[in-house]
Structures are given as C-alpha cells and as structure tokens.
Amino acid sequence: MTGWIAVAGLGPGDDALVTDEVRAALAEATDVVGYIPYVARVAPREGLTLHPSDNRVELDRAGHALDMAAKGRQVVIVSSGDPGVFAMASALFEALEARPDAQDYDIRILPGITAMLAAAARLGAPLGHDFCAINLSDNLKPWELVEHRLKLAAQAGFAMAFYNPRSKSRPHQFARALEILREEAGPETLVSFARAVTTPEEVLNTVTLGEATPDMADMRTVVIVGNRDTRRIGRFVYTPRSAR
Amino acid sequence: MTGWIAVAGLGPGDDALVTDEVRAALAEATDVVGYIPYVARVAPREGLTLHPSDNRVELDRAGHALDMAAKGRQVVIVSSGDPGVFAMASALFEALEARPDAQDYDIRILPGITAMLAAAARLGAPLGHDFCAINLSDNLKPWELVEHRLKLAAQAGFAMAFYNPRSKSRPHQFARALEILREEAGPETLVSFARAVTTPEEVLNTVTLGEATPDMADMRTVVIVGNRDTRRIGRFVYTPRSAR
C-alpha cells in the first residue's frame, strides 16, 4: 500500500498557529477530508481533492480516509486544534480497529495548538498548575460521569478546561456543571469564557463562579476554571506554579 | 514604555513544530532569555542578544525580562513545549505581580505544542478522552498533594500525562506514583513512556502498569497513563471517545 493518512491539527483558527509539519502534509496530500469549516481553511490547488463532510460523522469520515489510503491516495484528515484532543485521531483508530488489514495502513498524527492552550495563552496562564480537560458533551458518555469527574477534579484542586460546554439540545447541563463547581470549588473561584480564540470574533470574559451564568458559553467557547490560587493581574488571569 | 515581552513556546524539539507566530516574535526581538538548551535553539543574528540562564531560576529570568522591557527592549522568553504548561508564563506573572508598575508592561503569551500532545501524537491517541496533566515534581508543592491528585484522577477515570516524572534527588517518588496507579487504576492499564519526542533521541515504550518500573522514566520523559478503555492497535495506543 503506497497511500498514507495524516491526521493534522490546524490549531484554533489563526493561520500563524499552523505548524510547518501540517503545512508540509497538506502540500503533499492528494485528498483532504474533514468537517466543512475545517476543510474550508485549506487552500484549493490542482491535484488536491477536498472532501468536506458534516459534523458528527467522524467514523464515516475516518472510514472514507482509510478506503482512499488503501487505494494509494495521500490523505490528510483535518481537525481544528490538536487532533488528539476530543477530535479525529481517536475516531480514526476506532475505524481502523474494525478492519482486518489494520496493520497495513501508514498513519501519522500531527499535533496542533489545542483550543484550551490557545485560550490559556490569550488569558494569561490559567492552566499554569496541574489541570484537566473535560468534554462536557454527553453524546458519547453518560452525563452522570461528567458530574462525577467535575466533583473529583474540583476536590483534587485541578484547574479545568471544558470543551463543548453547552449543548443546544440540553442547555440545562452547563447550568448544572456551574452549580457543582460553585459547591465544590467555591463561588470566588475564577472562571474564564474564551470564545473563538485567535479569530476576528474572539471574546474573552473572566468572572467568578458566583457571577457566572450558563449563557456565557456557547459551542465555540472554551471554559477555563481556575483553582483556589488562580488570580487576576491586570487584564490577565494566572495560576501560580506553587501550591500549598 | 515601548518595549514588550513575548513568552514563546518552541514546541517539543522538532523545528517543524514551531509556529509562525513564534518565528515572527523571534524575528522582531532584540533579546532572548531562557533556559540554556532552549536559547540554544534560537539562531543568532545581528541585533539579537541571547541571555541563556540556568535551570530553576525562573523568577530571576522573568525579572530580567521585565527590566529589559521597561528599558524599551523587545524580549522573547523562550520555553520548550507550551509556555503555559509547567513553564515560564506563570513565572512571568508571578514576577509581574511584585511590581508596582505591573499594568504598564506589554505582554503576550504565544502558545506552542506541549510535550504531552506531541507524545500523544507519536503514540496514537492515548489522550483521546477526558484527561489531566500533573507535574510530579514536589519542588513547588507537597508530595502528599501529588498522591492525592493521582488517586482522585484515577477514580475519575481520567487519562493522565505526567511532566517531570522523576526527580534525581528523590527517585522513590515515581515508584510510589506507579504503586498508587496500580492500586487505583488496576495493573492492566496501559502506561506509555515517551522520551525526547520529535528529537533524534526519541524513544517510545508502552507497557501495562503491572509491568512498569520506575527506571523507564527520566527527566526527559513524558509519562501517559490510559484509562480502563485505553488499548493498543498495532504499534498505536488509543483511548476511545466514548465511555460507559
């Protein structure tokens, strides 16, 4: 098999955050697959076929990429942020596992700047101490598990970053998440809402958990909750390196 | 004040993982400060002064950068990986907090590919589900807090990435960490040791917690522990997107 697949992270939005490694893979590719808005970030050129697809069809998309690689195509699956953080890399391995010829595929994962680290950089250094990343969506896990993790993460004193904080279909879940965090971490804890970071639509907003309301987040927002030591300095938010 | 400070992430080692944003800041800088091996990655040029410094002098280094910016210099503090993850961004804000003119500094944090995401990409997708990042060093926090976090993280079912897994001065601590993880997560859980990722010295090794020994890690290793669903497929390790 001469084809290959690279799963590439395009970063959060600003093209200055795309790595040369990803650019090189895109320059060699014969095919690019991915969710519509991510494929739209790839410049068309002769010899390159773009295959944009809808949201929530990750396994189909991964299967399509594997089929093309098996036929000798050089395929880049594009992802926003980093492909290994709540993105396409896991979906590809899931699709791969179902194939009897799984060993034969030439696969590379190309890291990118994930949304929480881009958001943290714009805010200051809110993830400067031990932290966790939680996908708040209950599409692929029970909501009870999300609640369990929020409680334990707060008890551990982790700073936290939340992906997909608010589901259109179930807006009350993020309200419940804030409630749990207020109880476990205290109402004075800082929470930052970082929307569309590094794009022209970027909005940053930091409040206390006591002041936070569910409508401060939407699907383009990364939410970052500090630990008890997280504080403001001017327009920045940071978590010190030391802990008691 | 016309000077500025950018805290820039150089990524894990491979220059193809440095972003254009970081390259642009380095091209405009008059001064680069940082730990010796990171400053060594910046090409010398006319008009640029390099200020390499020793390890464990983060606050002095940050103070030096602030002094130079106050005099109108354009200063890049270089960090490996991402500056917001166990690196220089927090140290800079700590130094800034002590200054009465803290508001006057022009500061930007430029994200980079952090070691755990580079390691995860080389391994497959072991951080494909909810995960946490813990600095195992007890330089800036009590070891008891590390143990507490390891237990809660395992109970939460997080995949985990450990920075600074092994201290030369206290090698028994990492042995204790593995012991806690075996108890809390079970001996069949996969653990990966990713050393010097993306450099010519890269070594990847995945075993079960039951098979893991402390000498598998050193200070250049990122350790990634899966959750109970993490599995191998060929040479890859991945954590599925879904959880029960």
Side-chain angles (χ1 to χ4, degrees):
Chain A
M1 196 181 295
T2 57
W4 51 255
I5 299 178
V7 193
L10 296 178
D14 183 344
D15 279 339
L17 296 179
V18 180
T19 67
D20 286 351
E21 185 179 66
V22 167
R23 284 187 218 286
L26 288 169
E28 287 171 31
T30 58
D31 298 86
V32 171
V33 307
Y35 178 40
I36 298 159
Y38 309 149
V39 174
R41 289 181 55 195
V42 178
R45 62 170 165 79
E46 214 180 297
L48 179 69
T49 309
L50 302 176
H51 306 268
S53 51
D54 213 343
N55 206 357
R56 293 206 189 180
V57 293
E58 290 87 355
L59 283 181
D60 294 345
R61 187 186 295 145
H64 183 206
L66 289 166
D67 290 342
M68 288 194 287
K71 288 177 190 149
R73 311 288 294 179
Q74 304 177 339
V75 186
V76 175
I77 303 178
V78 287
S79 161
S80 75
D82 179 278
V85 179
F86 310 126
M88 279 301 299
S90 267
L92 177 66
F93 290 114
E94 226 171 294
L96 187 69
E97 220 171 15
R99 302 206 167 202
D101 60 346
Q103 307 290 336
D104 299 342
Y105 293 87
D106 176 358
I107 292 174
R108 285 173 302 152
I109 312 297
L110 310 182
I113 306 288
T114 186
M116 71 175 163
L117 297 185
R122 299 290 295 149
L123 291 160
L127 302 177
H129 198 71
D130 299 337
F131 66 94
C132 63
I134 303 177
N135 185 342
L136 288 193
S137 164
D138 67 342
N139 281 343
L140 294 164
K141 66 190 164 199
W143 175 252
E144 293 65 35
L145 184 59
V146 176
E147 292 203 6
H148 178 63
R149 285 181 178 161
L150 291 174
K151 283 176 196 167
L152 291 176
Q155 287 164 18
F158 284 125
M160 302 176 214
F162 304 137
Y163 287 73
N164 303 314
R166 232 187 144 192
S167 155
K168 269 181 200 161
S169 51
R170 299 228 228 158
H172 67 276
Q173 287 180 337
F174 184 57
R176 175 69 188 133
L178 288 175
E179 195 176 283
I180 290 167
L181 292 167
R182 270 190 293 269
E183 278 164 24
E184 301 284 344
E188 296 310 313
T189 305
L190 293 179
V191 53
S192 298
F193 297 88
R195 185 172 188 277
V197 281
T198 82
T199 78
E201 292 85 44
E202 177 179 289
V203 181
L204 306 173
N205 180 27
T206 299
V207 297
T208 65
L209 278 173
E211 295 161 343
T213 55
D215 61 319
M216 289 177 180
D218 67 10
M219 284 308 278
R220 293 186 71 192
T221 309
V222 172
V223 179
I224 296 183
V225 176
N227 69 19
R228 63 181 183 173
D229 296 317
T230 304
R231 49 191 185 253
R232 291 172 190 259
I233 172 165
R235 67 182 176 88
F236 295 111
V237 181
Y238 95 101
T239 303
R241 299 171 304 147
S242 54
R244 287 154 283 170
Chain B
M1 197 181 296
T2 55
W4 52 255
I5 298 177
V7 193
L10 297 179
D14 183 345
D15 279 340
L17 296 179
V18 179
T19 67
D20 286 351
E21 186 179 64
V22 167
R23 284 187 217 283
L26 288 169
E28 287 171 30
T30 58
D31 299 85
V32 170
V33 308
Y35 178 39
I36 299 160
Y38 309 149
V39 174
R41 289 183 53 194
V42 178
R45 63 171 164 80
E46 215 180 297
L48 178 68
T49 308
L50 302 176
H51 306 268
S53 51
D54 213 343
N55 206 357
R56 294 207 190 180
V57 295
E58 291 87 355
L59 283 180
D60 293 347
R61 186 186 296 145
H64 183 207
L66 290 165
D67 290 344
M68 288 194 287
K71 288 175 187 149
R73 310 287 295 177
Q74 304 178 338
V75 186
V76 175
I77 302 178
V78 287
S79 161
S80 76
D82 179 279
V85 178
F86 311 125
M88 280 300 299
S90 268
L92 177 66
F93 291 114
E94 227 170 295
L96 187 69
E97 220 172 14
R99 303 208 165 200
D101 60 346
Q103 307 290 335
D104 299 343
Y105 292 87
D106 177 358
I107 292 174
R108 286 173 300 151
I109 312 297
L110 311 183
I113 307 289
T114 186
M116 72 176 165
L117 297 186
R122 299 290 294 146
L123 291 161
L127 302 177
H129 198 73
D130 300 338
F131 65 95
C132 63
I134 302 178
N135 185 341
L136 288 194
S137 164
D138 66 343
N139 281 344
L140 294 163
K141 66 189 166 200
W143 174 253
E144 293 65 37
L145 184 58
V146 177
E147 291 203 6
H148 177 63
R149 284 182 179 161
L150 290 174
K151 283 175 197 167
L152 291 176
Q155 287 163 18
F158 284 125
M160 303 177 213
F162 304 137
Y163 287 73
N164 302 315
R166 229 183 148 198
S167 156
K168 270 181 203 164
S169 51
R170 297 228 228 159
H172 67 275
Q173 287 179 339
F174 184 56
R176 175 68 187 134
L178 288 175
E179 194 178 284
I180 290 168
L181 292 167
R182 271 191 292 268
E183 278 163 25
E184 300 285 344
E188 295 311 312
T189 305
L190 292 179
V191 53
S192 298
F193 297 88
R195 185 172 188 276
V197 281
T198 81
T199 78
E201 293 85 44
E202 177 178 290
V203 181
L204 306 174
N205 180 27
T206 299
V207 297
T208 65
L209 279 173
E211 295 161 341
T213 56
D215 61 320
M216 290 177 180
D218 67 10
M219 285 306 279
R220 293 186 72 192
T221 309
V222 173
V223 180
I224 296 184
V225 176
N227 69 19
R228 64 179 182 173
D229 296 317
T230 303
R231 50 191 184 252
R232 292 173 190 258
I233 172 166
R235 67 184 178 88
F236 295 111
V237 180
Y238 95 101
T239 303
R241 300 171 303 148
S242 54
R244 288 152 284 170

